Amino acid sequence: QVQLVESGGGLVQPGGSLRLSCVASGRFSIIYAMNWYRQVPGKERELVATIRQDGLLNYADSVKGRFTASRDNVKNTCYLQMNSLKPEDAAVYYCNWDYRAAGTSRLSWGQGTQVAVSS
């Protein structure tokens, strides 16, 4: 089972930037997708960005042009660079890996990192 640990959240003013990191540990053979989600209280978890196995990137319309997802395969880490942050971007951000290990497809979630956007 892969364990994921996010970091990089915090308080930032509107228009500011943050970079979230998600470090993975554990064994896996294939990563199908690395995803970033966010959730605010009382709402469903929202898919923000996806890095597909083939490297293709997908983003929610609300973050296109402002957020950039990337990965470092050597470090088993994925990132979410968030620029031009808006108050509506405030949420707990989670990374999620869809992967294969020991012959089985699996999902792992991190514990989340809080992002606050306020002046």
Side-chain angles (χ1 to χ4, degrees), residues 35-61:
N35 304 296
W36 286 97
Y37 286 79
R38 66 186 181 188
Q39 190 170 26
V40 297
K43 292 190 176 182
E44 292 188 358
R45 198 165 288 190
E46 174 191 17
L47 179 61
V48 174
T50 295
I51 306 172
R52 287 177 20 176
Q53 182 181 6
D54 59 4
L56 190 67
L57 302 174
N58 292 315
Y59 298 97
D61 288 342

PDB file of all heavy atoms in Angstrom, residues 35-61:
ATOM      1  N   ASN A  35      -3.796  12.466  -8.712  1.00  0.00           N
ATOM      2  CA  ASN A  35      -4.872  13.449  -8.703  1.00  0.00           C
ATOM      3  C   ASN A  35      -4.745  14.387  -7.519  1.00  0.00           C
ATOM      4  O   ASN A  35      -4.273  14.001  -6.455  1.00  0.00           O
ATOM      5  CB  ASN A  35      -6.234  12.746  -8.607  1.00  0.00           C
ATOM      6  CG  ASN A  35      -6.452  11.736  -9.707  1.00  0.00           C
ATOM      7  OD1 ASN A  35      -6.515  12.087 -10.880  1.00  0.00           O
ATOM      8  ND2 ASN A  35      -6.552  10.478  -9.341  1.00  0.00           N
ATOM      9  N   TRP A  36      -5.195  15.593  -7.723  1.00  0.00           N
ATOM     10  CA  TRP A  36      -5.365  16.546  -6.633  1.00  0.00           C
ATOM     11  C   TRP A  36      -6.851  16.869  -6.518  1.00  0.00           C
ATOM     12  O   TRP A  36      -7.493  17.214  -7.511  1.00  0.00           O
ATOM     13  CB  TRP A  36      -4.582  17.826  -6.885  1.00  0.00           C
ATOM     14  CG  TRP A  36      -3.112  17.687  -6.700  1.00  0.00           C
ATOM     15  CD1 TRP A  36      -2.167  17.464  -7.655  1.00  0.00           C
ATOM     16  CD2 TRP A  36      -2.404  17.763  -5.453  1.00  0.00           C
ATOM     17  NE1 TRP A  36      -0.925  17.398  -7.095  1.00  0.00           N
ATOM     18  CE2 TRP A  36      -1.037  17.586  -5.731  1.00  0.00           C
ATOM     19  CE3 TRP A  36      -2.786  17.976  -4.131  1.00  0.00           C
ATOM     20  CZ2 TRP A  36      -0.052  17.605  -4.750  1.00  0.00           C
ATOM     21  CZ3 TRP A  36      -1.806  17.994  -3.151  1.00  0.00           C
ATOM     22  CH2 TRP A  36      -0.467  17.812  -3.458  1.00  0.00           C
ATOM     23  N   TYR A  37      -7.370  16.743  -5.300  1.00  0.00           N
ATOM     24  CA  TYR A  37      -8.745  17.081  -4.984  1.00  0.00           C
ATOM     25  C   TYR A  37      -8.751  18.194  -3.941  1.00  0.00           C
ATOM     26  O   TYR A  37      -7.755  18.428  -3.254  1.00  0.00           O
ATOM     27  CB  TYR A  37      -9.485  15.876  -4.390  1.00  0.00           C
ATOM     28  CG  TYR A  37      -9.856  14.792  -5.360  1.00  0.00           C
ATOM     29  CD1 TYR A  37      -8.911  13.863  -5.799  1.00  0.00           C
ATOM     30  CD2 TYR A  37     -11.158  14.668  -5.832  1.00  0.00           C
ATOM     31  CE1 TYR A  37      -9.268  12.843  -6.677  1.00  0.00           C
ATOM     32  CE2 TYR A  37     -11.522  13.642  -6.705  1.00  0.00           C
ATOM     33  CZ  TYR A  37     -10.573  12.743  -7.113  1.00  0.00           C
ATOM     34  OH  TYR A  37     -10.926  11.730  -7.984  1.00  0.00           O
ATOM     35  N   ARG A  38      -9.893  18.824  -3.787  1.00  0.00           N
ATOM     36  CA  ARG A  38     -10.074  19.766  -2.697  1.00  0.00           C
ATOM     37  C   ARG A  38     -11.492  19.641  -2.161  1.00  0.00           C
ATOM     38  O   ARG A  38     -12.397  19.215  -2.887  1.00  0.00           O
ATOM     39  CB  ARG A  38      -9.768  21.197  -3.126  1.00  0.00           C
ATOM     40  CG  ARG A  38     -10.729  21.777  -4.153  1.00  0.00           C
ATOM     41  CD  ARG A  38     -10.232  23.142  -4.608  1.00  0.00           C
ATOM     42  NE  ARG A  38     -11.120  23.762  -5.590  1.00  0.00           N
ATOM     43  CZ  ARG A  38     -10.829  24.873  -6.253  1.00  0.00           C
ATOM     44  NH1 ARG A  38      -9.655  25.518  -6.018  1.00  0.00           N
ATOM     45  NH2 ARG A  38     -11.695  25.372  -7.120  1.00  0.00           N
ATOM     46  N   GLN A  39     -11.630  20.018  -0.916  1.00  0.00           N
ATOM     47  CA  GLN A  39     -12.935  19.914  -0.271  1.00  0.00           C
ATOM     48  C   GLN A  39     -13.105  21.032   0.743  1.00  0.00           C
ATOM     49  O   GLN A  39     -12.201  21.328   1.527  1.00  0.00           O
ATOM     50  CB  GLN A  39     -13.083  18.558   0.417  1.00  0.00           C
ATOM     51  CG  GLN A  39     -14.483  18.273   0.913  1.00  0.00           C
ATOM     52  CD  GLN A  39     -14.646  16.840   1.368  1.00  0.00           C
ATOM     53  OE1 GLN A  39     -13.699  16.182   1.756  1.00  0.00           O
ATOM     54  NE2 GLN A  39     -15.874  16.342   1.312  1.00  0.00           N
ATOM     55  N   VAL A  40     -14.286  21.633   0.700  1.00  0.00           N
ATOM     56  CA  VAL A  40     -14.673  22.604   1.715  1.00  0.00           C
ATOM     57  C   VAL A  40     -15.799  21.991   2.518  1.00  0.00           C
ATOM     58  O   VAL A  40     -16.537  21.124   2.019  1.00  0.00           O
ATOM     59  CB  VAL A  40     -15.107  23.943   1.096  1.00  0.00           C
ATOM     60  CG1 VAL A  40     -13.945  24.583   0.355  1.00  0.00           C
ATOM     61  CG2 VAL A  40     -16.292  23.765   0.150  1.00  0.00           C
ATOM     62  N   PRO A  41     -15.958  22.400   3.750  1.00  0.00           N
ATOM     63  CA  PRO A  41     -17.015  21.825   4.598  1.00  0.00           C
ATOM     64  C   PRO A  41     -18.385  21.954   3.950  1.00  0.00           C
ATOM     65  O   PRO A  41     -18.742  23.006   3.417  1.00  0.00           O
ATOM     66  CB  PRO A  41     -16.917  22.657   5.873  1.00  0.00           C
ATOM     67  CG  PRO A  41     -15.506  23.106   5.919  1.00  0.00           C
ATOM     68  CD  PRO A  41     -15.130  23.360   4.485  1.00  0.00           C
ATOM     69  N   GLY A  42     -19.113  20.854   3.991  1.00  0.00           N
ATOM     70  CA  GLY A  42     -20.467  20.862   3.468  1.00  0.00           C
ATOM     71  C   GLY A  42     -20.581  20.620   1.986  1.00  0.00           C
ATOM     72  O   GLY A  42     -21.690  20.580   1.451  1.00  0.00           O
ATOM     73  N   LYS A  43     -19.431  20.463   1.315  1.00  0.00           N
ATOM     74  CA  LYS A  43     -19.455  20.218  -0.123  1.00  0.00           C
ATOM     75  C   LYS A  43     -18.724  18.936  -0.452  1.00  0.00           C
ATOM     76  O   LYS A  43     -17.909  18.446   0.322  1.00  0.00           O
ATOM     77  CB  LYS A  43     -18.820  21.388  -0.873  1.00  0.00           C
ATOM     78  CG  LYS A  43     -19.617  22.680  -0.807  1.00  0.00           C
ATOM     79  CD  LYS A  43     -19.058  23.711  -1.762  1.00  0.00           C
ATOM     80  CE  LYS A  43     -19.916  24.971  -1.760  1.00  0.00           C
ATOM     81  NZ  LYS A  43     -19.392  25.985  -2.731  1.00  0.00           N
ATOM     82  N   GLU A  44     -19.022  18.410  -1.642  1.00  0.00           N
ATOM     83  CA  GLU A  44     -18.351  17.195  -2.088  1.00  0.00           C
ATOM     84  C   GLU A  44     -16.906  17.498  -2.472  1.00  0.00           C
ATOM     85  O   GLU A  44     -16.565  18.622  -2.833  1.00  0.00           O
ATOM     86  CB  GLU A  44     -19.089  16.597  -3.283  1.00  0.00           C
ATOM     87  CG  GLU A  44     -20.457  16.040  -2.961  1.00  0.00           C
ATOM     88  CD  GLU A  44     -21.070  15.283  -4.117  1.00  0.00           C
ATOM     89  OE1 GLU A  44     -20.444  15.223  -5.186  1.00  0.00           O
ATOM     90  OE2 GLU A  44     -22.172  14.752  -3.951  1.00  0.00           O
ATOM     91  N   ARG A  45     -16.102  16.474  -2.390  1.00  0.00           N
ATOM     92  CA  ARG A  45     -14.709  16.614  -2.805  1.00  0.00           C
ATOM     93  C   ARG A  45     -14.670  16.862  -4.314  1.00  0.00           C
ATOM     94  O   ARG A  45     -15.344  16.178  -5.076  1.00  0.00           O
ATOM     95  CB  ARG A  45     -13.938  15.348  -2.436  1.00  0.00           C
ATOM     96  CG  ARG A  45     -12.455  15.503  -2.402  1.00  0.00           C
ATOM     97  CD  ARG A  45     -11.804  14.324  -1.686  1.00  0.00           C
ATOM     98  NE  ARG A  45     -12.040  14.359  -0.246  1.00  0.00           N
ATOM     99  CZ  ARG A  45     -11.424  13.561   0.615  1.00  0.00           C
ATOM    100  NH1 ARG A  45     -10.551  12.658   0.173  1.00  0.00           N
ATOM    101  NH2 ARG A  45     -11.673  13.647   1.898  1.00  0.00           N
ATOM    102  N   GLU A  46     -13.863  17.825  -4.706  1.00  0.00           N
ATOM    103  CA  GLU A  46     -13.797  18.272  -6.100  1.00  0.00           C
ATOM    104  C   GLU A  46     -12.453  17.897  -6.705  1.00  0.00           C
ATOM    105  O   GLU A  46     -11.403  18.181  -6.110  1.00  0.00           O
ATOM    106  CB  GLU A  46     -13.980  19.797  -6.161  1.00  0.00           C
ATOM    107  CG  GLU A  46     -13.800  20.397  -7.540  1.00  0.00           C
ATOM    108  CD  GLU A  46     -13.722  21.912  -7.508  1.00  0.00           C
ATOM    109  OE1 GLU A  46     -13.484  22.491  -6.443  1.00  0.00           O
ATOM    110  OE2 GLU A  46     -13.878  22.523  -8.592  1.00  0.00           O
ATOM    111  N   LEU A  47     -12.480  17.294  -7.893  1.00  0.00           N
ATOM    112  CA  LEU A  47     -11.244  16.984  -8.605  1.00  0.00           C
ATOM    113  C   LEU A  47     -10.686  18.274  -9.210  1.00  0.00           C
ATOM    114  O   LEU A  47     -11.368  18.938  -9.982  1.00  0.00           O
ATOM    115  CB  LEU A  47     -11.494  15.948  -9.687  1.00  0.00           C
ATOM    116  CG  LEU A  47     -10.301  15.540 -10.532  1.00  0.00           C
ATOM    117  CD1 LEU A  47      -9.198  14.926  -9.687  1.00  0.00           C
ATOM    118  CD2 LEU A  47     -10.731  14.557 -11.623  1.00  0.00           C
ATOM    119  N   VAL A  48      -9.449  18.579  -8.873  1.00  0.00           N
ATOM    120  CA  VAL A  48      -8.822  19.825  -9.314  1.00  0.00           C
ATOM    121  C   VAL A  48      -7.870  19.582 -10.485  1.00  0.00           C
ATOM    122  O   VAL A  48      -7.878  20.330 -11.458  1.00  0.00           O
ATOM    123  CB  VAL A  48      -8.062  20.469  -8.141  1.00  0.00           C
ATOM    124  CG1 VAL A  48      -7.276  21.682  -8.608  1.00  0.00           C
ATOM    125  CG2 VAL A  48      -9.012  20.833  -7.020  1.00  0.00           C
ATOM    126  N   ALA A  49      -7.049  18.547 -10.365  1.00  0.00           N
ATOM    127  CA  ALA A  49      -6.040  18.302 -11.404  1.00  0.00           C
ATOM    128  C   ALA A  49      -5.686  16.833 -11.433  1.00  0.00           C
ATOM    129  O   ALA A  49      -5.731  16.151 -10.412  1.00  0.00           O
ATOM    130  CB  ALA A  49      -4.792  19.132 -11.146  1.00  0.00           C
ATOM    131  N   THR A  50      -5.329  16.367 -12.617  1.00  0.00           N
ATOM    132  CA  THR A  50      -4.930  14.978 -12.821  1.00  0.00           C
ATOM    133  C   THR A  50      -3.679  14.929 -13.682  1.00  0.00           C
ATOM    134  O   THR A  50      -3.592  15.627 -14.707  1.00  0.00           O
ATOM    135  CB  THR A  50      -6.041  14.182 -13.515  1.00  0.00           C
ATOM    136  OG1 THR A  50      -7.169  14.107 -12.659  1.00  0.00           O
ATOM    137  CG2 THR A  50      -5.574  12.767 -13.853  1.00  0.00           C
ATOM    138  N   ILE A  51      -2.731  14.103 -13.259  1.00  0.00           N
ATOM    139  CA  ILE A  51      -1.584  13.770 -14.096  1.00  0.00           C
ATOM    140  C   ILE A  51      -1.772  12.321 -14.503  1.00  0.00           C
ATOM    141  O   ILE A  51      -1.705  11.414 -13.670  1.00  0.00           O
ATOM    142  CB  ILE A  51      -0.248  13.922 -13.349  1.00  0.00           C
ATOM    143  CG1 ILE A  51      -0.115  15.305 -12.729  1.00  0.00           C
ATOM    144  CG2 ILE A  51       0.917  13.647 -14.300  1.00  0.00           C
ATOM    145  CD1 ILE A  51       1.104  15.462 -11.817  1.00  0.00           C
ATOM    146  N   ARG A  52      -2.020  12.111 -15.774  1.00  0.00           N
ATOM    147  CA  ARG A  52      -2.265  10.747 -16.242  1.00  0.00           C
ATOM    148  C   ARG A  52      -0.965   9.983 -16.424  1.00  0.00           C
ATOM    149  O   ARG A  52       0.122  10.574 -16.474  1.00  0.00           O
ATOM    150  CB  ARG A  52      -3.062  10.775 -17.546  1.00  0.00           C
ATOM    151  CG  ARG A  52      -4.492  11.142 -17.372  1.00  0.00           C
ATOM    152  CD  ARG A  52      -5.259  11.231 -18.680  1.00  0.00           C
ATOM    153  NE  ARG A  52      -4.664  10.549 -19.805  1.00  0.00           N
ATOM    154  CZ  ARG A  52      -5.255  10.464 -20.989  1.00  0.00           C
ATOM    155  NH1 ARG A  52      -6.466  10.982 -21.150  1.00  0.00           N
ATOM    156  NH2 ARG A  52      -4.665   9.878 -22.013  1.00  0.00           N
ATOM    157  N   GLN A  53      -1.084   8.686 -16.563  1.00  0.00           N
ATOM    158  CA  GLN A  53       0.084   7.823 -16.744  1.00  0.00           C
ATOM    159  C   GLN A  53       0.904   8.270 -17.946  1.00  0.00           C
ATOM    160  O   GLN A  53       2.139   8.200 -17.932  1.00  0.00           O
ATOM    161  CB  GLN A  53      -0.377   6.376 -16.911  1.00  0.00           C
ATOM    162  CG  GLN A  53       0.756   5.369 -17.069  1.00  0.00           C
ATOM    163  CD  GLN A  53       0.236   3.956 -17.267  1.00  0.00           C
ATOM    164  OE1 GLN A  53      -0.965   3.728 -17.403  1.00  0.00           O
ATOM    165  NE2 GLN A  53       1.128   2.982 -17.274  1.00  0.00           N
ATOM    166  N   ASP A  54       0.231   8.729 -19.002  1.00  0.00           N
ATOM    167  CA  ASP A  54       0.947   9.133 -20.215  1.00  0.00           C
ATOM    168  C   ASP A  54       1.464  10.565 -20.125  1.00  0.00           C
ATOM    169  O   ASP A  54       2.008  11.087 -21.090  1.00  0.00           O
ATOM    170  CB  ASP A  54       0.042   8.986 -21.439  1.00  0.00           C
ATOM    171  CG  ASP A  54      -1.230   9.807 -21.366  1.00  0.00           C
ATOM    172  OD1 ASP A  54      -1.390  10.567 -20.395  1.00  0.00           O
ATOM    173  OD2 ASP A  54      -2.071   9.669 -22.267  1.00  0.00           O
ATOM    174  N   GLY A  55       1.266  11.197 -18.952  1.00  0.00           N
ATOM    175  CA  GLY A  55       1.766  12.550 -18.759  1.00  0.00           C
ATOM    176  C   GLY A  55       0.767  13.637 -19.072  1.00  0.00           C
ATOM    177  O   GLY A  55       1.034  14.815 -18.828  1.00  0.00           O
ATOM    178  N   LEU A  56      -0.366  13.260 -19.628  1.00  0.00           N
ATOM    179  CA  LEU A  56      -1.378  14.260 -19.969  1.00  0.00           C
ATOM    180  C   LEU A  56      -1.934  14.877 -18.690  1.00  0.00           C
ATOM    181  O   LEU A  56      -2.158  14.188 -17.698  1.00  0.00           O
ATOM    182  CB  LEU A  56      -2.504  13.616 -20.770  1.00  0.00           C
ATOM    183  CG  LEU A  56      -3.522  14.561 -21.394  1.00  0.00           C
ATOM    184  CD1 LEU A  56      -2.858  15.382 -22.492  1.00  0.00           C
ATOM    185  CD2 LEU A  56      -4.697  13.780 -21.950  1.00  0.00           C
ATOM    186  N   LEU A  57      -2.134  16.174 -18.738  1.00  0.00           N
ATOM    187  CA  LEU A  57      -2.648  16.911 -17.591  1.00  0.00           C
ATOM    188  C   LEU A  57      -4.079  17.348 -17.854  1.00  0.00           C
ATOM    189  O   LEU A  57      -4.407  17.823 -18.948  1.00  0.00           O
ATOM    190  CB  LEU A  57      -1.780  18.145 -17.329  1.00  0.00           C
ATOM    191  CG  LEU A  57      -0.300  17.905 -17.080  1.00  0.00           C
ATOM    192  CD1 LEU A  57       0.451  19.223 -16.993  1.00  0.00           C
ATOM    193  CD2 LEU A  57      -0.080  17.085 -15.835  1.00  0.00           C
ATOM    194  N   ASN A  58      -4.917  17.214 -16.852  1.00  0.00           N
ATOM    195  CA  ASN A  58      -6.297  17.702 -16.928  1.00  0.00           C
ATOM    196  C   ASN A  58      -6.566  18.568 -15.713  1.00  0.00           C
ATOM    197  O   ASN A  58      -6.097  18.271 -14.605  1.00  0.00           O
ATOM    198  CB  ASN A  58      -7.293  16.539 -16.954  1.00  0.00           C
ATOM    199  CG  ASN A  58      -7.205  15.735 -18.225  1.00  0.00           C
ATOM    200  OD1 ASN A  58      -7.133  16.282 -19.312  1.00  0.00           O
ATOM    201  ND2 ASN A  58      -7.199  14.425 -18.090  1.00  0.00           N
ATOM    202  N   TYR A  59      -7.340  19.613 -15.926  1.00  0.00           N
ATOM    203  CA  TYR A  59      -7.650  20.543 -14.848  1.00  0.00           C
ATOM    204  C   TYR A  59      -9.138  20.861 -14.810  1.00  0.00           C
ATOM    205  O   TYR A  59      -9.809  20.866 -15.848  1.00  0.00           O
ATOM    206  CB  TYR A  59      -6.889  21.866 -15.045  1.00  0.00           C
ATOM    207  CG  TYR A  59      -5.395  21.737 -15.018  1.00  0.00           C
ATOM    208  CD1 TYR A  59      -4.663  21.631 -16.194  1.00  0.00           C
ATOM    209  CD2 TYR A  59      -4.703  21.703 -13.810  1.00  0.00           C
ATOM    210  CE1 TYR A  59      -3.288  21.494 -16.174  1.00  0.00           C
ATOM    211  CE2 TYR A  59      -3.326  21.589 -13.782  1.00  0.00           C
ATOM    212  CZ  TYR A  59      -2.626  21.483 -14.968  1.00  0.00           C
ATOM    213  OH  TYR A  59      -1.262  21.351 -14.937  1.00  0.00           O
ATOM    214  N   ALA A  60      -9.613  21.153 -13.613  1.00  0.00           N
ATOM    215  CA  ALA A  60     -10.961  21.692 -13.492  1.00  0.00           C
ATOM    216  C   ALA A  60     -10.993  23.076 -14.148  1.00  0.00           C
ATOM    217  O   ALA A  60      -9.996  23.809 -14.123  1.00  0.00           O
ATOM    218  CB  ALA A  60     -11.349  21.803 -12.022  1.00  0.00           C
ATOM    219  N   ASP A  61     -12.134  23.417 -14.726  1.00  0.00           N
ATOM    220  CA  ASP A  61     -12.251  24.713 -15.398  1.00  0.00           C
ATOM    221  C   ASP A  61     -11.930  25.866 -14.451  1.00  0.00           C
ATOM    222  O   ASP A  61     -11.376  26.884 -14.869  1.00  0.00           O
ATOM    223  CB  ASP A  61     -13.667  24.881 -15.964  1.00  0.00           C
ATOM    224  CG  ASP A  61     -13.910  23.998 -17.169  1.00  0.00           C
ATOM    225  OD1 ASP A  61     -12.929  23.525 -17.783  1.00  0.00           O
ATOM    226  OD2 ASP A  61     -15.084  23.777 -17.497  1.00  0.00           O
TER     227      ASP A  61
END
